[in-house]
Amino acid sequence: MERIIENRLQLKKRVLVVDDEFINRRLLEKIISEKYEVLQASDGAEALEIIKENRNTLSLILLDLLMPKLNGYELMEILKEDETMNRIPIIVLTSEKEAEVETLNMGAADFIQKPYDVPEVILARINRIIRLYDSINILNATQTDQLTGLFNKDYFIEYVGVIDKYYPERAMDAVAVNISRFHILNEMNGRAFGNEVLKALSDAIRNCVSERQGIACRNSADRFYLYITHVDDAEALRHSLAAGISSLVKDADSRINIGIYPNAQTNPDAPKRFDCALLACNSLRSDYKSFVAFYDAEMYKKETFAERLVSDFDEAIREKQFIIHYQPKFDVTGDTPYLASAEALVRWKHPELGMISLGLFIPFFEENGLIQRLDRYVWQEVSNQIACWKKKYGFSVPVSVNVSRVDIMNPGLVKEIEGIVEEAGITPNDLYLEITESAYAEDSDRVVEAAGKLRSLGYKIEMDDFGTGYSSLNTLAVLPIDVLKLDIDFIKHLHTSPKSLRLIELVVDIARFLGASVVVEGVENSEQYNTLKNTGVNIIQGYYFSVPVDSEGFADFILERIAYDNRQKA
Amino acid sequence: MITVKRLKELGCDTDKGLERCLGDADFYLEFIPDALKKERYEKLEALINSKNLDAAFEAAHGLKGILSNLALDPLLEPVVKLTELLRSRTDTDYSELLKEMWERYNLLAAEM
């Protein structure tokens, strides 16, 4: 670094000489001015002004102790308390032995004795201290998070290793801390306010780790990691952290979540300890009553299960372990319901774990992005199956496939779907594309753009899980959709709550207004069927008609539909 | 005009003094008049006589600093003694030491 500054930039580093005796200042200037730019101050007060003005460029302060106005000791105290100035090293100029010890204890980097030693020695000491502090300052800048001053994660993990090395017997907890709904705080009050909250929490964390002989880092955004001696009272720890932000955030106590991996030192994988603590912390996300969670055997089991699924994914795709089932959807607008389309549902026929339903693996794949590959696999399999039915029976019904949020973000989405459809030899009319309402709500511009493009090519777009994603009515009007698919929850209370029924009628009205049809899924019995039919719903899907069936089983439904069509013609 | 040779003859450790000035005799000699400004010594004497020992210590300490850096040893000796007594704020008769300081001072100042 020093070489870069001197050789490439041709800059001299700046040194301030503070001494009330002009002769002493000039002597030092003579000794060091060839290598350094020298600033001078004749007392502490003048020095303080110069330091304030040059705080970012001063490389060293050479400081006499006995001076008028503000003496060297007083100036050192002031500088020590100021974070923007305490990075500048100080070499004390003194003839007093006691002062050497005292000032070193106060934070002086070194001392130069009066009368001055030979110039080479003085210069060497100055060079050494400047080099040393340059390195320390660079290290500090890279090892700490700028906003909070806490370690960044990489250095934190290094220091965890150091604690392990020196205190292998000490029971330590890995703790993950986060502020729930922090993004809302940020959005409502601005980023500057959010930063203030993070700084206040960091101060509380600093106090906590210093009391509990530990260290802490800011992992990302509002996530922090602590490595501290074993905590007996986790609630007390949580309260002390919440107290740190209580002057800024009204409901502070219900905003701090902590996940604890107790006795984490027993796990030799240091980063993993904090993954576990974070996992515990994240388990509190949807729980508005609990604020502390411990990483335990159940979590471990769930996590290892997830890891197993992820690691077996490639093989599963290769060996076609993902089996597509088809749930028939019936048009109920006429007197006789008839097969209108189907929904493709994927299950995993795992060679060792048996049949795994989609609810168990989809959330993990959504988290790590594998869902994109699974979706692609499903699109291909379904397209090929439709082509197969068409070839065999000269007819098929459209099949709905899922388009995940992450697919929408893929700029090549339209091209990929087109490629698959073309390769299978089917047409866009044969595929319905299901996009969840929450995806619309999260990034509506992107979804509108992608869905609009696909729709213009002839694909039907279905909004899945309608009623869970909080679409606003006015955005609904501009969304390119052909089908509103009602969330299964609407049906659950159909006969216990008159409001549920009225709500479905309203949705049917909205759909009509938008020119879309309404699909209700999860219909299980004739009572539900009859009620829904009377509301004007177009399509019904559910156990009332059929459970999801494999491709062979679904062929029977196609044959029935062909027979129905023939009857209609006759 | 005082010379390095003359200062050496008067007992100053000019080798040391010059070393601190990177061997630059002109630079070294430039400081001698300043170090020998009569007011500095008069101020020290006045402070001692008025029993303002805190300020007297600071003045003596400052003088000691420049005299030692310039290696004006003959004058440095009494100033060091004064500084040490004043450091402990010793309430004593300083007249002998002050007299010695002035004698040494006059010897050097006469060369200016």
Side-chain angles (χ1 to χ4, degrees):
Chain A
M1 179 58 104
E2 189 180 34
R3 215 166 288 158
I4 291 171
I5 289 171
E6 284 177 7
N7 297 351
R8 292 200 195 156
L9 305 177
Q10 299 282 306
L11 286 177
K12 278 183 175 179
K13 289 186 179 170
R14 213 169 259 183
V15 174
L16 173 65
V17 180
V18 191
D19 196 311
D20 57 335
E21 286 296 347
F22 169 73
I23 294 170
N24 295 340
R25 296 201 300 273
R26 288 278 287 133
L27 280 174
L28 277 177
E29 185 188 30
K30 176 88 176 169
I31 293 168
I32 66 173
S33 60
E34 197 177 324
K35 183 155 186 184
Y36 299 104
E37 180 188 341
V38 180
L39 306 181
Q40 297 186 28
S42 59
D43 58 59
E46 188 189 358
L48 185 57
E49 289 310 307
I50 293 174
I51 296 165
K52 278 180 184 168
E53 273 173 35
N54 298 276
R55 67 183 84 201
N56 295 322
T57 54
L58 267 184
S59 293
L60 179 70
I61 301 165
L62 296 170
L63 182 65
D64 184 27
L65 292 175
L66 290 181
M67 290 181 295
K69 293 185 187 169
L70 191 68
N71 68 38
Y73 296 104
E74 291 163 339
L75 181 63
M76 282 182 78
E77 284 296 341
I78 293 170
L79 297 180
K80 202 164 81 177
E81 294 305 314
D82 188 313
E83 277 181 24
T84 63
M85 298 192 281
N86 63 12
R87 55 145 208 101
I88 310 167
I90 297 171
I91 294 182
V92 164
L93 309 168
T94 181
S95 55
E96 321 295 330
K97 274 278 168 222
E98 295 100 45
E100 287 168 10
V101 178
E102 195 180 350
T103 51
L104 287 175
N105 285 336
M106 284 174 75
D110 201 355
F111 56 86
I112 289 175
Q113 279 200 331
K114 287 181 182 172
Y116 299 150
D117 209 330
V118 288
E120 289 79 4
V121 173
I122 291 177
L123 200 56
R125 288 185 103 137
I126 289 173
N127 292 342
R128 188 182 67 86
I129 292 299
I130 289 179
R131 247 193 326 264
L132 180 69
Y133 273 71
D134 275 353
S135 308
I136 290 171
N137 287 331
I138 289 167
L139 187 66
N140 279 339
T142 49
Q143 77 173 1
T144 54
D145 167 55
Q146 271 203 326
L147 178 72
T148 62
L150 296 175
F151 286 128
N152 65 38
K153 193 185 164 194
D154 289 345
Y155 278 91
F156 171 76
I157 295 293
E158 283 296 316
Y159 287 119
V160 166
V162 173
I163 292 177
D164 287 349
K165 191 172 157 192
Y166 288 102
Y167 307 101
E169 302 301 323
R170 189 181 285 177
M172 300 294 287
D173 290 351
V175 181
V177 176
N178 90 323
I179 305 173
S180 65
R181 309 180 306 283
F182 178 70
H183 66 284
I184 297 174
L185 269 185
N186 247 347
E187 277 163 27
M188 288 179 66
N189 304 288
R191 190 169 288 273
F193 175 80
N195 286 347
E196 284 309 307
V197 174
L198 292 175
K199 281 200 261 183
L201 179 59
S202 303
D203 288 341
I205 287 174
R206 238 187 302 275
N207 288 338
C208 162
V209 295
S210 106
E211 280 166 18
R212 292 163 202 262
Q213 295 152 306
I215 51 172
C217 78
R218 181 179 178 209
N219 179 32
S220 62
D222 61 318
R223 276 187 199 156
F224 298 85
Y225 288 157
L226 284 63
Y227 194 55
I228 50 179
T229 50
H230 178 62
V231 177
D232 282 325
D233 188 350
E235 264 303 321
L237 166 70
R238 202 183 72 78
H239 286 311
S240 69
L241 298 180
I245 60 166
S246 59
S247 63
L248 295 166
V249 182
K250 271 185 191 167
D251 52 347
D253 204 54
S254 63
R255 278 191 182 264
I256 298 291
N257 287 336
I258 63 174
I260 301 179
Y261 177 25
N263 296 311
Q265 81 287 350
T266 53
N267 185 337
D269 184 344
K272 181 82 189 161
R273 298 171 196 170
F274 297 94
D275 291 345
C276 295
L278 185 62
L279 200 73
C281 190
N282 286 347
S283 73
L284 299 163
R285 262 188 205 154
S286 51
D287 184 344
Y288 294 100
K289 287 181 187 156
S290 312
F291 306 102
V292 177
F294 291 88
Y295 182 79
D296 56 16
E298 198 183 320
M299 243 178 236
Y300 174 76
K301 208 169 136 193
K302 201 173 155 194
E303 195 201 358
T304 46
F305 176 68
E307 270 176 16
R308 173 88 191 266
L309 296 186
V310 170
S311 70
D312 290 351
F313 180 84
D314 281 336
E315 197 183 331
I317 291 278
R318 225 173 21 248
E319 297 184 356
K320 293 189 184 279
Q321 291 170 10
F322 291 106
I323 310 292
I324 316 285
H325 280 68
Y326 299 84
Q327 187 164 37
K329 292 197 252 187
F330 280 79
D331 187 308
V332 297
T333 50
D335 294 337
T336 315
Y338 64 90
L339 177 74
S341 55
E343 180 181 5
L345 298 163
V346 65
R347 285 173 186 172
W348 188 348
K349 198 174 170 188
H350 194 284
E352 287 164 31
L353 303 172
M355 198 62 96
I356 309 170
S357 71
L358 81 168
L360 287 175
F361 58 83
I362 295 286
F364 301 130
F365 293 169
E366 277 178 342
E367 262 176 40
N368 60 27
L370 285 177
I371 192 72
Q372 231 179 326
R373 288 178 57 200
L374 181 63
D375 283 346
R376 204 136 289 111
Y377 171 88
V378 172
W379 301 340
Q380 274 166 345
E381 289 294 300
V382 168
S383 298
N384 291 337
Q385 185 59 59
I386 293 171
C388 180
W389 284 325
K390 278 186 155 181
K391 194 176 168 192
K392 199 168 176 185
Y393 306 114
F395 176 79
S396 179
V397 289
V399 178
S400 306
V401 291
N402 191 53
V403 178
S404 301
R405 236 167 290 180
V406 59
D407 294 320
I408 304 281
M409 298 304 146
N410 171 15
L413 171 70
V414 176
K415 213 172 167 188
E416 276 186 46
I417 292 181
E418 281 285 276
I420 289 169
V421 165
E422 209 172 291
E423 203 181 314
I426 62 170
T427 66
N429 295 329
D430 295 321
L431 275 189
Y432 285 179
L433 305 176
E434 284 191 357
I435 302 170
T436 58
E437 191 198 0
S438 55
Y440 278 94
E442 270 183 25
D443 192 353
S444 61
D445 289 349
R446 195 69 188 257
V447 179
V448 167
E449 189 195 331
K453 214 176 267 177
L454 286 162
R455 203 168 174 231
S456 69
L457 292 168
Y459 296 92
K460 290 257 187 317
I461 306 294
E462 297 185 323
M463 183 190 267
D464 199 8
D465 296 337
F466 180 71
T468 58
Y470 313 108
S471 291
S472 61
L473 287 175
N474 57 344
T475 56
L476 210 55
V478 297
L479 294 179
I481 36 175
D482 301 287
V483 179
L484 282 183
K485 194 167 180 188
L486 249 63
D487 182 56
I488 205 157
D489 280 348
F490 270 106
I491 312 306
K492 281 184 185 160
H493 310 290
L494 198 57
H495 288 95
T496 51
S497 157
K499 280 183 185 166
S500 285
L501 183 61
R502 181 70 195 115
L503 211 53
I504 291 169
E505 287 168 351
L506 283 172
V507 172
V508 170
D509 283 347
I510 290 171
R512 254 185 217 137
F513 170 73
L514 296 173
S517 54
V518 175
V519 175
V520 178
E521 62 181 343
V523 179
E524 290 178 350
N525 53 48
S526 56
E527 202 179 2
Q528 288 174 335
Y529 168 74
N530 288 326
T531 314
L532 285 168
K533 188 171 159 44
N534 291 333
T535 61
V537 161
N538 308 82
I539 309 278
I540 282 180
Q541 171 187 350
Y543 286 8
Y544 173 69
F545 284 115
S546 171
V547 295
V549 293
D550 62 15
S551 56
E552 250 174 67
F554 193 75
D556 293 340
F557 285 97
I558 293 178
L559 289 171
E560 258 179 48
R561 165 70 194 268
I562 293 170
Y564 171 86
D565 285 351
N566 288 337
R567 277 198 303 276
Q568 295 295 310
K569 279 179 206 160
Chain B
M1 186 69 186
I2 200 162
T3 62
V4 173
K5 190 174 166 229
R6 185 68 192 126
L7 282 171
K8 198 169 188 173
E9 284 167 5
L10 290 168
C12 300
D13 189 353
T14 49
D15 292 345
K16 275 271 178 214
L18 272 173
E19 195 176 33
R20 289 184 192 114
C21 298
L22 305 177
D24 186 339
D26 290 342
F27 184 74
Y28 174 60
L29 291 173
E30 188 188 315
F31 296 127
I32 307 300
D34 194 349
L36 295 179
K37 263 188 191 153
K38 198 171 187 183
E39 304 89 80
R40 290 178 179 275
Y41 303 88
E42 286 172 344
K43 182 183 165 194
L44 173 60
E45 186 174 38
L47 288 167
I48 290 172
N49 290 339
S50 65
K51 302 275 184 200
N52 188 349
L53 300 188
D54 290 339
F57 167 68
E58 282 178 23
H61 189 269
L63 267 179
K64 179 187 144 194
I66 54 173
L67 294 173
S68 61
N69 270 336
L70 296 173
L72 301 180
D73 293 354
L75 182 52
L76 176 64
E77 273 178 36
V79 172
V80 167
K81 287 179 198 162
L82 283 167
T83 307
E84 292 317 306
L85 281 172
L86 289 166
R87 183 190 302 282
S88 53
R89 311 296 189 264
T90 312
D91 188 8
T92 183
D93 181 6
Y94 287 86
S95 57
E96 277 305 309
L97 272 175
L98 285 170
K99 191 177 153 207
E100 188 186 344
M101 178 188 82
W102 279 119
E103 281 169 11
R104 306 275 179 108
Y105 171 84
N106 289 331
L107 263 175
L108 289 169
E111 301 292 329
M112 298 303 297

